[in-house]
Amino acid sequence: MTATGASEGVGARGAPVSGPWWWARRRSAVLDAFLAAASTVECVWEGTLFAHEAQLPGLLGMLLGLLAGPVLLVRRRWPVVVVLVSIAVMPAEMGGLLSVVGLYTLAASDVPRRITGLLAGMTVVGTLVTTFLTLREDVATQQDFHPPMWFVPLMALAVGLVLTAPPVLWGLYIAARRRLVESLRERADGLERELSLLADRAEERAEWARNEERTRIAREMHDVVAHRVSLMVVHAAALQAVALKDPEKASKNAGLVGDMGRQALTELREMLGVLRTADGASGRGTAASGAPERLAAVASRAGAKATVQARVPSADGASAASSSAGRSVGGAESSVPGAGDADAEGPCLTELADLVGQSRAAGMVVELMVHESAEGEAAAGAGRRYAARVERTVYRVVQEALTNVHKHAPGARARVRLAHRDGELAVQVENGPCEGGAADAGLPSGGNGLVGMRERVTALGGVFVSGPTEAGGFRVSAVLPTVASRL
């Protein structure tokens, strides 16, 4: 409703208009029609009496009543007009119902309060003057009634207030209650929207957490299993090439070992693909949300079993090499997160020499170089120690880089550089071109190794770079900050 009293075509509670014309409901239209009819009858009757007292034609009074009474039909649309009409017909002593209903509608509408107060004051003044003149004339016609001088003004004031104040106050109360209900409804709607938004955000965070957990488990399983299986295949290929006793049987057994290793890597790659698919969990719902936990439990049991097997003494050189690989991988597998001690477990920098030794045992020429900073030699001699997650990440980078050399550059020379710098730890694994005479183990590749290394390094705020070298080899470099994470 505007400042002039025109409503905007909405119901009292903000609902769209569904009734005829400007009425929100048909019930409101019927009520206004009834009030307009009653007001018309009243105005016609009072207009006729006024015309008779003023010695005017009765038809003129009836016509005036027919024009003023039906104005209540537009009280919801133009309440100001209704009140002005009621004030205009006050000298004719008509429109009592019109005035009361008009004032109530005006006070209950959204018309500015200054306009409501002005029109209510005009109504009080008009009623006061009309009542005063009527009472004075009536008192003057009665010879045996002599009231005091204050009687007529007091009665006129009382009548004016009684006819004006109750509808105005009741309309103001209804308007305040309506605004309160509207504000409460708006607050409820706002809270509902906010709760819906929070629920959507919580669902997004839960989905993000599930995807992060799936990716983390995939990365851990890849680092734990892929290196060990790759070395198994490399050893099987070497055994197949150099077996002297019963060459046919040794070659057959070695081929079976190689086939099993390749199959294991293929299955692992498929499983990692499932874990890294973000849409899988949302499509499967709650039933798929427990898959990462079950896979983590399987990986943990596999790591524990590999560690136990790695402690069994070997009988020959090949078994010794496999045992050495098992020890390293057992240490690597211990980094699979458990029940809250993920950061405290896992391989460390002191195990890099054993990791390089495993690749050497598999026939790779690997050189390990450790560079200390000018002020870090004393710390290195005292046993330099970084945060467990930093050392584990460096170990995994070296492990995966050497595994990629076994896969993609058999027979190539590799060099591992570890640099302790002020506030950071740098590692680089570089291999030369593949030698033509080296036998290819035929290891499958899923493309997750470099992705996993980059994720690990960037998660700690480090920098990861990988790419081919000018000599035809490949280089992997990572720099991790250690200032805030050193123990």
Side-chain angles (χ1 to χ4, degrees):
M1 188 170 292
T2 63
T4 60
S7 63
E8 297 177 352
V10 295
R13 297 186 178 181
V17 174
S18 59
W21 294 340
W22 51 81
W23 287 285
R25 295 180 298 271
R26 295 185 182 274
R27 183 177 60 184
S28 301
V30 173
L31 176 61
D32 288 353
F34 173 77
L35 291 175
S39 176
T40 302
V41 172
E42 178 195 6
C43 290
V44 168
W45 173 257
E46 294 175 347
T48 302
L49 294 179
F50 172 76
H52 178 71
E53 293 177 359
Q55 299 180 356
L56 295 175
L59 185 61
L60 182 61
M62 295 178 58
L63 181 61
L64 181 60
L66 290 175
L67 293 176
V71 176
L72 282 180
L73 287 173
V74 298
R75 70 183 185 93
R76 300 178 188 269
R77 182 71 172 178
W78 296 293
V80 174
V81 174
V82 176
V83 176
L84 291 177
V85 171
S86 67
I87 295 174
V89 297
M90 277 185 183
E93 299 181 1
M94 58 187 295
L97 179 63
L98 180 66
S99 176
V100 171
V101 176
L103 287 175
Y104 163 77
T105 306
L106 178 67
S109 65
D110 294 333
V111 175
R113 291 293 168 252
R114 62 179 182 275
I115 298 179
T116 302
L118 176 62
L119 293 178
M122 293 173 61
T123 303
V124 171
V125 172
T127 305
L128 178 63
V129 172
T130 303
T131 306
F132 177 80
L133 295 177
T134 302
L135 287 177
R136 189 179 65 174
E137 183 178 355
D138 292 342
V139 169
T141 57
Q142 297 180 5
Q143 300 296 331
D144 56 348
F145 182 67
H146 302 283
M149 296 183 59
W150 51 264
F151 176 77
V152 174
L154 181 61
M155 292 300 297
L157 179 62
V159 172
L161 293 178
V162 168
L163 294 179
T164 306
V168 172
L169 294 178
W170 181 251
L172 292 176
Y173 166 74
I174 294 299
R177 182 177 177 274
R178 188 175 298 164
R179 286 193 297 269
L180 177 61
V181 172
E182 290 289 341
S183 64
L184 292 178
R185 182 176 289 106
E186 291 178 359
R187 290 181 59 184
D189 294 341
L191 289 176
E192 184 177 357
R193 289 192 298 268
E194 185 176 355
L195 289 177
S196 177
L197 182 60
L198 290 177
D200 294 340
R201 290 181 178 178
E203 182 64 24
E204 293 177 359
R205 288 195 297 267
E207 184 67 22
W208 176 83
R210 286 194 295 267
N211 293 335
E212 286 293 318
E213 184 68 10
R214 289 154 59 90
T215 303
R216 182 185 62 82
I217 294 174
R219 185 169 58 244
E220 292 292 339
M221 293 186 64
H222 180 274
D223 294 340
V224 168
V225 181
H227 183 70
R228 178 175 176 82
V229 177
S230 299
L231 290 180
M232 182 182 65
V233 176
V234 171
H235 281 296
L239 178 63
Q240 193 175 18
V242 300
L244 298 178
K245 297 180 180 181
D246 197 356
E248 182 178 356
K249 184 177 181 179
S251 177
K252 182 178 180 180
N253 292 339
L256 291 176
V257 173
D259 292 339
M260 288 188 297
R262 296 185 189 95
Q263 184 179 3
L265 285 179
T266 301
E267 294 175 352
L268 175 64
R269 184 174 67 253
E270 295 175 354
M271 184 162 45
L272 295 177
V274 173
L275 288 172
R276 288 182 179 273
T277 302
D279 296 336
S282 59
R284 287 188 293 271
T286 308
S289 61
E293 288 75 7
R294 294 194 296 270
L295 290 174
V298 171
S300 300
R301 290 195 297 269
K305 183 177 179 180
T307 304
V308 173
Q309 292 178 352
R311 296 175 181 174
V312 180
S314 58
D316 50 16
S319 299
S322 300
S323 177
S324 175
R327 286 192 300 272
S328 172
V329 176
E333 289 171 347
S334 65
S335 67
V336 177
D341 55 353
D343 288 340
E345 297 180 357
C348 57
L349 296 181
T350 57
E351 300 179 21
L352 283 180
D354 296 336
L355 181 64
V356 173
Q358 297 169 25
S359 296
R360 288 173 180 169
M364 181 189 300
V365 179
V366 187
E367 180 182 1
L368 176 62
M369 303 174 62
V370 180
H371 303 277
E372 295 288 344
S373 61
E375 60 180 12
E377 296 180 357
R384 177 187 291 271
R385 178 67 175 172
Y386 300 100
R389 58 182 181 273
V390 175
E391 297 198 3
R392 183 170 62 247
T393 300
V394 173
Y395 183 93
R396 295 302 191 196
V397 170
V398 176
Q399 182 187 56
E400 181 60 30
L402 293 179
T403 301
N404 288 340
V405 176
H406 285 292
K407 290 181 180 180
H408 307 293
R413 294 176 175 269
R415 180 179 300 170
V416 180
R417 294 188 179 94
L418 182 65
H420 300 276
R421 302 172 184 172
D422 296 335
E424 62 183 16
L425 181 62
V427 62
Q428 183 184 87
V429 180
E430 181 179 354
N431 64 274
C434 176
E435 295 184 2
D440 190 356
L443 292 171
S445 176
N448 293 321
L450 293 177
V451 175
M453 285 190 283
R454 184 181 302 277
E455 290 175 351
R456 285 183 177 274
V457 174
T458 55
L460 298 181
V463 179
F464 179 83
V465 179
S466 63
T469 62
E470 296 180 356
F474 200 84
R475 180 186 298 116
V476 173
S477 303
V479 179
L480 291 90
T482 62
V483 175
S485 58
R486 181 176 298 184
L487 297 180

